[in-house]
Amino acid sequence: DTGVSQDPRHKITKRGQNVTFRCDPISEHNRLYWYRQTLGQGPEFLTYFQNEAQLEKSRLLSNRFSAERPKGSFSTLEIQRTEQGDSAMYLCASSSLWSKEAGALTGELFFGEGSRLTVL
Amino acid sequence: QKEVEQNSGPLSVPEGAIASLNCTYSDRVSQSFFWYRQYSGKSPELIMSIYSNGDKEDGRFTAQLNKASQYVSLLIRDSQPSDSATYLCAPGGATNKLIFGTGTLLAVQP
């Protein structure tokens, strides 16, 4: 399977615990994105990397959230001291900088299956 | 004003009819536009991309873009029950990320 893979698919934790999600992007993609989605809402941007550099973080993102992409390949998203409001689907997506069709920077994102977090 | 606005629906159409999904966006520098389909409990799946004003057809799907009006739409011809899903609109621009609307829930009635 050459798509985006995420692990774990489901995580149930107690409030106050730390959790970590992993994302393996499509191998030739140099951009990697994290989104969060709650019921009835569209995906909400959290952060993105170009290779190993974290280029943007959402201003809404609590300092309890941290993401890394140490070698420009897989990425991890850690949530410290989880709260019930953190319960959501955490989506990882990857993209390449260029599209043959557009001939320019585009933004086609390809999503993984997501990691569903439930905080009790 | 929200960055991306979509009617949340549900939009209910009979099988075989044309479903029309609309989206407006506020970022005038957006240059690429994407439609994603999301089945309940699943992740978004890219179904259409459009970069230029006008229409782009792919099978039963047609995307329409009007940058002057900051409007993009998706038409689904010969709607099937398997098309029942939430459709997410996502403009892309200078910000190097996609901002998603809340999505329109489409229900195709057999």
Side-chain angles (χ1 to χ4, degrees):
Chain A
D1 185 11
T2 57
V4 179
S5 63
Q6 293 188 243
D7 184 71
R9 296 288 307 280
H10 302 276
K11 179 70 176 179
I12 301 174
T13 191
K14 293 182 179 180
R15 187 178 56 185
Q17 298 296 304
N18 298 344
V19 296
T20 299
F21 301 113
R22 175 180 169 126
C23 172
D24 287 88
I26 294 170
S27 58
E28 61 267 29
H29 286 179
N30 46 20
R31 285 192 174 178
L32 186 149
Y33 295 77
W34 286 99
Y35 283 79
R36 173 173 62 190
Q37 188 175 27
T38 54
L39 194 63
Q41 300 298 312
E44 173 193 17
F45 170 77
L46 296 180
T47 188
Y48 90 95
F49 294 83
Q50 183 167 311
N51 300 313
E52 66 276 9
Q54 186 174 20
L55 297 187
E56 186 175 347
K57 288 177 61 173
S58 169
R59 289 170 295 175
L60 302 176
L61 197 60
S62 161
N63 57 13
R64 296 183 296 105
F65 287 70
S66 62
E68 295 182 340
R69 195 183 183 197
K71 298 182 179 179
S73 56
F74 74 91
S75 175
T76 57
L77 176 69
E78 181 182 19
I79 310 173
Q80 296 182 326
R81 303 180 303 282
T82 53
E83 302 173 356
Q84 288 183 325
D86 297 332
S87 295
M89 175 77 86
Y90 289 85
L91 295 164
C92 177
S94 68
S95 77
S96 62
L97 284 174
W98 299 92
S99 162
K100 290 181 181 178
E101 178 182 351
L105 293 170
T106 58
E108 294 171 329
L109 300 189
F110 297 90
F111 285 89
E113 292 297 315
S115 294
R116 183 170 296 284
L117 174 65
T118 302
V119 181
L120 301 176
Chain B
Q1 181 188 9
K2 291 183 180 179
E3 292 185 75
V4 181
E5 297 210 41
Q6 296 181 255
N7 187 323
S8 61
L11 172 65
S12 183
V13 300
E15 184 174 354
I18 296 175
S20 177
L21 306 162
N22 304 316
C23 172
T24 58
Y25 59 93
S26 61
D27 186 356
R28 289 186 173 274
V29 301
S30 295
Q31 294 297 317
S32 51
F33 302 85
F34 305 94
W35 282 98
Y36 286 80
R37 177 177 62 200
Q38 187 173 27
Y39 293 112
S40 179
K42 301 295 186 181
S43 62
E45 173 193 12
L46 180 66
I47 56 171
M48 284 290 287
S49 57
I50 186 167
Y51 307 99
S52 304
N53 281 328
D55 296 359
K56 177 184 176 184
E57 186 174 320
D58 183 1
R60 295 186 296 111
F61 298 99
T62 299
Q64 299 174 317
L65 174 61
N66 184 327
K67 292 183 181 179
S69 299
Q70 296 174 250
Y71 173 88
V72 59
S73 67
L74 179 70
L75 300 178
I76 306 175
R77 289 181 300 281
D78 187 25
S79 295
Q80 300 298 309
S82 59
D83 295 326
S84 298
T86 296
Y87 290 81
L88 299 161
C89 168
T95 56
N96 295 312
K97 60 183 182 288
L98 298 187
I99 301 299
F100 287 85
T102 56
T104 297
L105 177 62
L106 173 65
V108 181
Q109 306 300 324

